[in-house]
Amino acid sequence: MPHSHLHADPAPHAHLHPARFPVTVDVVALTVGGGELRVLLINRLIEPFKGGLALPGGFVLPGEGLRDAAARELAEETGVARLPGHLEQLQSYGPAGRDPRGDVLTVAHLLLAPDFPVLAAGSDAAHAGWHPVSDVLDGVLDVAFDHRQIIADAVERARSKLEYSPLGAAFCGEEFTVAQLRAVYEAVWGTRLDPRNFHRKATGTPGFLEDTGAMSAGEAGRPAALFRLAPESRFVAGEPVRAVLNPPLMRPRG
Amino acid sequence: MPHSHLHADPAPHAHLHPARFPVTVDVVALTVGGGELRVLLINRLIEPFKGGLALPGGFVLPGEGLRDAAARELAEETGVARLPGHLEQLQSYGPAGRDPRGDVLTVAHLLLAPDFPVLAAGSDAAHAGWHPVSDVLDGVLDVAFDHRQIIADAVERARSKLEYSPLGAAFCGEEFTVAQLRAVYEAVWGTRLDPRNFHRKATGTPGFLEDTGAMSAGEAGRPAALFRLAPESRFVAGEPVRAVLNPPLMRPRG
DNA sequence: CCAAAAGTGTTAATGCTACACCCATGG
DNA sequence: CCATGGGTGTAGCATTAACACTTTTGG
């Protein structure tokens, strides 16, 4: 019996020839720019949906892990050398009913990143660019496959993650001001937050922010102190985020 | 070109022959009994890990969705006709480095259910039974593959879901007392909650509980009122849970 | 009557919201 | 000097945690 099954399975013959599926990873890369949430999309060079917009992604290779595949595809299609921000798995979709060519399982991932530069057009790969999330969700922009649903799920995940984890800082650079961090929360939640209360809460949460001693300059108004993530709150590649904000940075109640 | 690729992909030849993987679904079915959290495990009838304990699950069939596959496998291996409680996707694992026979992707699912009866030994399928989650996580019980990690992730997901969603009631039957609901939270969180404050909060949360008018009987002490989930909080198969408890049923701060 | 569990009332501490107010910079 | 944004203080309100107390059953 060359193909044995993994689990007891009374379905007739199902264990003799387990079906095999192509598996892709897709990455919903989110950033904050211009006061709004943006998603990274590529122009498809091939059918189906040729010329349309889609999430960066591609096939998982034999012997490869999901996270590695997502990081590899993102690097290939955007030209980033080191993965910026925080990458985590979102959820899987399929395999039935999502690709016109047949069953394809995709494992969607979520990247929260600062506004990094992406590949210019004319390169070997497709042109990649940031687009407002609201345009995708409102249907102003069309995206391939079930990618609108995936993006909607990703945004919802990002929203709820921000309250309890230090992941808001994943959208900022290494050092940032409290106002920049606040802009992230306002963009993701689509609300306005009181700058004074946010400042108190962000700086007053133990284990969240660390004062660098440096100051921002060049902007209007009084210079702001520059912070970085405290060591216990830093997220490392592949590890789940451990630090929890308690009390959370609450989003206003609906 | 019989196999075209889904996305632009500069990796040489990767798009010509996308790798195909066996895909399984595994179900972490959790319940509350005897004041502790329990997980449903089956005895494996075949290699590898023959005779060992594992999560119920099996191969996804062509043309099948993930959720349908999970529900089907659970029904086949436990004998339940209608799916009790609440089923949702957890996350995916693999395909590399988790099965001794090669690359297998698994999509883990989480079922929160009342303590339903499972298949007795001697049936065609493997014997299924409830086991304390703590025994699995402490290493007292060994489980096959990477199922210990999957169970740990499932428990963590269940813990955080309970605070904000009405899913605690998924562990109870159709009608339940506030004390039974409280026992769920205490088992999942591993804490003690003040019965009086919990009662006030559970019954006082708008859109959560609905008084049936009936009373429990036969127990020690004063009879308790029987409740059911309010219509707006009920979870329906396949739909994400929409109702949010605001304010949440807080777990005690660490 | 006593033990046990359900359910209500009350109070002190805590946390949040709103906003007055001062500080430091650019123009 | 004024506009702009950074940052602190504080009063009022809402929520929570802790616990006294009453109710209703079984033994």
Side-chain angles (χ1 to χ4, degrees):
Chain A
M1 201 194 282
H3 294 91
S4 58
H5 54 358
L6 296 181
H7 303 282
D9 190 336
H13 307 302
H15 58 286
L16 293 176
H17 298 288
R20 292 170 166 262
F21 301 92
V23 176
T24 60
V25 284
D26 286 309
V27 180
V28 183
L30 298 179
T31 195
V32 169
E36 62 182 357
L37 199 56
R38 294 179 179 163
V39 59
L40 185 64
L41 298 174
I42 61 155
N43 276 305
R44 287 181 58 80
L45 299 176
I46 51 144
E47 295 294 347
F49 301 103
K50 182 173 177 176
L53 293 169
L55 293 171
F59 290 112
V60 175
L61 305 177
E64 195 175 38
L66 293 169
R67 185 193 165 78
D68 294 336
R72 174 181 54 75
E73 287 292 343
L74 191 74
E76 286 174 5
E77 297 186 354
T78 65
V80 292
R82 268 183 358 108
L83 193 65
H86 165 81
L87 178 69
E88 68 177 43
Q89 194 186 118
L90 181 60
Q91 67 166 114
S92 298
Y93 299 82
R98 51 174 305 276
D99 190 302
R101 291 160 299 173
D103 289 348
V104 179
L105 183 83
T106 196
V107 185
H109 290 252
L110 173 62
L111 178 77
L112 310 181
D115 193 347
F116 62 88
V118 292
L119 276 187
S123 141
D124 223 35
H127 173 60
W130 296 106
H131 299 266
V133 159
S134 57
D135 286 355
V136 177
L137 298 185
D138 295 349
V140 175
L141 274 179
D142 267 327
V143 287
F145 304 105
D146 52 354
H147 288 185
R148 192 195 312 282
Q149 181 63 51
I150 296 177
I151 292 168
D153 293 343
V155 169
E156 192 42 48
R157 169 81 67 94
R159 281 199 231 276
S160 54
K161 276 253 160 179
L162 251 55
E163 291 185 273
Y164 297 93
S165 71
L167 284 176
F171 290 106
C172 301
E174 188 72 17
E175 299 190 350
F176 49 87
T177 68
V178 173
Q180 287 165 355
L181 185 63
R182 175 168 47 85
V184 165
Y185 284 80
E186 291 182 333
V188 173
W189 289 343
T191 58
R192 231 95 255 286
L193 298 171
D194 185 300
R196 300 157 293 194
N197 291 336
F198 183 88
H199 183 280
R200 202 196 337 269
K201 198 147 179 181
T203 57
T205 298
F208 184 27
L209 298 182
E210 194 175 69
D211 198 332
T212 64
M215 287 287 178
S216 73
E219 317 276 313
R222 173 176 165 180
L226 283 170
F227 293 85
R228 63 172 146 259
L229 265 186
E232 55 268 48
S233 284
R234 291 195 193 120
F235 24 90
V236 267
E239 307 293 311
V241 176
R242 301 179 57 192
V244 169
L245 302 190
N246 203 357
L249 279 166
M250 295 252 274
R251 89 174 106 169
R253 301 202 172 155
Chain B
M1 201 196 277
H3 294 91
S4 58
H5 54 358
L6 297 181
H7 304 279
D9 190 336
H13 306 302
H15 59 284
L16 292 175
H17 298 287
R20 293 169 165 263
F21 302 92
V23 176
T24 59
V25 285
D26 286 309
V27 180
V28 183
L30 297 179
T31 194
V32 170
E36 62 182 356
L37 200 55
R38 292 179 181 164
V39 59
L40 185 63
L41 299 174
I42 61 154
N43 277 305
R44 286 181 59 79
L45 300 176
I46 51 143
E47 294 293 349
F49 301 103
K50 182 173 179 177
L53 293 168
L55 294 172
F59 290 112
V60 175
L61 305 177
E64 194 174 40
L66 293 170
R67 186 193 165 79
D68 295 336
R72 175 181 54 76
E73 287 291 343
L74 192 74
E76 286 174 5
E77 297 188 354
T78 65
V80 292
R82 268 184 358 110
L83 194 65
H86 165 81
L87 177 69
E88 69 176 43
Q89 194 186 118
L90 183 59
Q91 66 166 116
S92 299
Y93 299 82
R98 51 174 303 278
D99 190 302
R101 291 160 299 174
D103 289 348
V104 179
L105 184 83
T106 196
V107 185
H109 290 251
L110 174 62
L111 178 77
L112 310 180
D115 193 348
F116 62 87
V118 293
L119 276 187
S123 142
D124 222 34
H127 173 62
W130 297 105
H131 299 267
V133 159
S134 57
D135 285 354
V136 177
L137 298 184
D138 296 349
V140 175
L141 274 179
D142 267 327
V143 288
F145 305 105
D146 52 354
H147 288 185
R148 191 195 311 283
Q149 181 63 50
I150 295 177
I151 292 168
D153 293 344
V155 169
E156 192 42 48
R157 168 80 69 95
R159 280 199 230 277
S160 54
K161 275 255 161 177
L162 251 56
E163 290 185 273
Y164 297 94
S165 71
L167 284 176
F171 290 106
C172 301
E174 189 73 17
E175 300 191 348
F176 49 87
T177 68
V178 173
Q180 286 166 357
L181 185 63
R182 175 167 48 86
V184 165
Y185 284 79
E186 292 180 333
V188 174
W189 290 342
T191 57
R192 229 96 256 284
L193 297 171
D194 185 300
R196 300 156 292 193
N197 291 336
F198 183 89
H199 183 280
R200 201 193 340 264
K201 196 145 182 182
T203 56
T205 297
F208 185 26
L209 298 183
E210 196 175 67
D211 199 331
T212 64
M215 286 285 177
S216 73
E219 318 276 312
R222 172 176 167 181
L226 283 169
F227 292 85
R228 65 172 145 258
L229 265 185
E232 55 267 51
S233 285
R234 291 196 193 120
F235 23 90
V236 267
E239 306 294 311
V241 177
R242 301 180 57 192
V244 169
L245 303 190
N246 203 356
L249 280 166
M250 294 254 272
R251 85 174 109 171
R253 303 209 168 150

